[in-house]
Amino acid sequence: MEDAAFWVLAVLAVAAGAAVFVVDSMARATFALLASFLCVGAELLLIDLHYLGVLVVLMMIMEMLVMAVFMVMYMMNPAGLMPMTMMHNARGAAGISVALFAALAAGIFAVPWPERAGRPPRDPTFALGESIMGPKMLVMMVIGIAILATMIAAVVLATHRGRYGDDA
Amino acid sequence: MVEVVVIGALAVAAATLSGALAGRPAAPFQEAVRLLTLQRRATHRADRLLTTVGVVSLPVAAALAALVVPFGDRVAVGSSVGVVWFNAMEVVAWASVWLAGWGVNSAYALVGGYRFLAQGLAYELPHMFALITAALGAHSLDLRVIAAAQHGLWFAVWMPVAFAVYLLSTLAMTFWGPLGHPVGGDLAGGAMAELSGPDRLVLLAGRYGLLAVAAAVAVPLFLGGGAGPLLPGWLWSLVKACAVLALLVWTRGRVPVLRMDRAMAAAWTVLIPAVLLQMLVVGIVVV
């Protein structure tokens, strides 16, 4: 049952990823990519990495929607309503991706895979935090807050007087 | 699965209360029947697929969020990361509203969709910090553990700022009442401007669902879960959830819609520092 779910999600993730390059609308491409990421998040849930899986779902939804905002700000067709394509330099891209795929696939067979050492921790979330931060936890927390404060201050300064500027 | 049905019933009750506060308790049901029989309005070159995904995903997200909400000791899915799951399902609303506003290919709806994203960005950070503050106080992301950690003293009492920010940001995430600007009258209905018939009904139902589930989650987060004298735990949870939900619904008729740029300035400059200070206090006390 879990194996079946794994393969279904894997195929869906790849198919949605391919759809990004097939569809002709920026919004559809964005949400095809999101669908692909959600499948990956579900895969993580399947292998019992609950925190990471849910976090992927949470962050990817937010990230794709923030991308939608930037799409309007920076794209030549505001709102992304005009037909578009994700394909640029199709022949070169095809060459590069085939070569990359071949190299990665060769790696699967060429590299000696390590034997599994140890067993899964009782609390993967806790173990993950320990292995990323370990004894540097306090430093990481302080830096995290400092980065956040900088971001918020930058936003507050940049949007000094609303969307119409000082004159309005 | 009883828990999900209960949240659905709470959503219907919220709609009824909303009608009753406006003087017509039956109005939501009349509106529902009217919308069910109404023909869809088609807009020029609309993206039907994305609009449908947007409309349907809102109630689905509310139902999925309801899975981790404990009533007393009962819960549909006992997840060790319930808080994160609840928040992930809440941000599905970002996608829902933006897709519904974008997909119909209409200027007002589009602006409404982007308004919601801007509002969401401003309120998601304080909302997350409020959730994390409660989780920090209980050393757990499990809603049942957080509820159990409040025996004696409710988190609402000793983290009042986090509780207030949670309620306020909930209004923003469900574009309700004072923070209903994304679907505001000044935009001819904003993100919902072009939605008609069953589409509109499903999106509105999803919003009530999200409102109900957020009210129900406030109970294990800040109001001691199912703790209380005499009554069984699940009933206490239900009573408290009803009270929070009634408060949220009541704000719609009593508080004017806030102008977006002002509300967002306050969100960035006041709410985030306030809730960070609250988290600092909680962090110092518990560690």
Side-chain angles (χ1 to χ4, degrees):
Chain A
M1 183 63 199
E2 281 198 3
D3 285 351
F6 176 88
W7 284 108
V8 169
L9 285 169
V11 171
L12 281 178
V14 174
V20 171
F21 297 94
V22 176
V23 295
D24 65 350
S25 118
M26 191 72 204
R28 286 195 176 198
T30 304
F31 283 89
L33 189 56
L34 176 58
S36 182
F37 283 137
L38 292 184
C39 290
V40 174
E43 296 274 31
L44 287 173
L45 289 179
L46 267 187
I47 54 173
D48 283 339
L49 290 173
H50 294 145
Y51 178 70
L52 278 185
V54 177
L55 204 62
V56 165
V57 173
L58 171 67
M59 298 311 290
M60 286 306 148
I61 295 175
M62 289 171 66
E63 186 182 290
M64 286 302 137
L65 270 299
V66 171
M67 198 174 96
V69 174
F70 279 82
M71 191 164 91
V72 165
M73 280 200 284
Y74 295 131
M75 278 194 60
M76 276 187 278
N77 51 359
L81 288 169
M82 310 269 283
M84 49 69 75
T85 173
M86 282 289 211
M87 305 277 232
H88 307 291
N89 183 20
R91 203 172 297 164
I96 293 171
S97 45
V98 166
L100 190 65
F101 179 81
L104 290 174
I108 295 177
F109 297 107
V111 172
W113 287 85
E115 288 294 310
R116 174 167 206 157
R119 46 182 57 237
R122 204 176 56 80
D123 185 349
T125 311
F126 186 82
L128 178 73
E130 279 283 301
S131 64
I132 293 177
M133 304 201 219
K136 312 282 191 306
M137 188 79 83
L138 187 63
V139 182
M140 295 288 280
M141 301 285 278
V142 172
I143 293 176
I145 296 290
I147 292 173
L148 179 74
T150 314
M151 278 160 49
I152 293 170
V155 171
V156 169
L157 290 176
T159 57
H160 176 51
R161 273 295 96 198
R163 58 198 277 218
Y164 300 113
D166 278 325
D167 304 331
Chain B
M1 298 317 265
V2 184
E3 293 81 0
V4 181
V5 178
V6 168
I7 297 284
L10 278 178
V12 174
T16 315
L17 178 63
S18 179
L21 287 174
R24 293 169 56 216
F29 300 99
Q30 293 163 353
E31 178 72 1
V33 173
R34 189 183 76 82
L35 287 176
L36 272 179
T37 53
L38 201 67
Q39 198 177 9
R40 271 200 192 90
R41 185 166 58 221
T43 41
H44 178 63
R45 298 196 63 184
D47 194 328
R48 261 321 298 171
L49 174 69
L50 289 190
T51 312
T52 309
V53 169
V55 166
V56 173
S57 58
L58 196 62
V60 168
L64 287 176
L67 287 176
V68 296
V69 181
F71 283 93
D73 299 325
R74 294 185 49 114
V75 63
V77 175
S79 167
S80 60
V81 290
V83 172
V84 192
W85 176 254
F86 165 67
N87 196 224
M89 291 304 107
E90 266 186 320
V91 299
V92 170
W94 290 24
S96 307
V97 175
W98 189 81
L99 281 173
W102 187 89
V104 293
N105 195 15
S106 140
Y108 283 137
L110 182 70
V111 175
Y114 279 111
R115 266 190 190 174
F116 183 71
L117 280 191
Q119 175 166 303
L121 275 173
Y123 284 94
E124 174 63 14
L125 277 179
H127 191 73
M128 273 180 162
F129 285 130
L131 294 176
I132 294 170
T133 308
L136 179 67
H139 292 287
S140 174
L141 292 169
D142 190 331
L143 285 169
R144 291 163 300 172
V145 178
I146 296 174
Q150 301 172 53
H151 53 84
L153 190 58
W154 289 2
F155 282 174
V157 177
W158 80 279
M159 330 176 165
V161 178
F163 184 47
V165 167
Y166 175 83
L167 292 181
L168 189 62
S169 48
T170 293
L171 293 177
M173 304 293 272
T174 51
F175 44 108
W176 179 264
L179 293 161
H181 215 39
V183 292
D186 62 331
L187 266 189
M192 295 203 286
E194 301 292 343
L195 290 180
S196 55
D199 289 347
R200 193 181 184 83
L201 180 64
V202 170
L203 195 78
L204 285 171
R207 173 161 81 162
Y208 277 115
L210 208 56
L211 208 58
V213 78
V217 168
V219 175
L221 278 181
F222 294 105
L223 299 175
L230 298 175
L231 301 176
W234 62 267
L235 193 53
W236 266 118
S237 288
L238 195 59
V239 169
K240 293 173 187 174
C242 287
V244 177
L245 187 57
L247 177 72
L248 293 177
V249 172
W250 174 81
T251 57
R252 176 149 94 161
R254 287 294 171 276
V255 187
V257 175
L258 297 176
R259 224 180 78 188
M260 187 101 149
D261 51 342
R262 289 189 187 161
M264 281 177 58
W268 283 102
T269 54
V270 179
L271 287 191
I272 294 179
V275 76
L276 275 177
L277 277 178
Q278 171 78 88
M279 195 156 74
L280 180 68
V281 170
V282 172
I284 289 172
V285 170
V286 297
V287 176

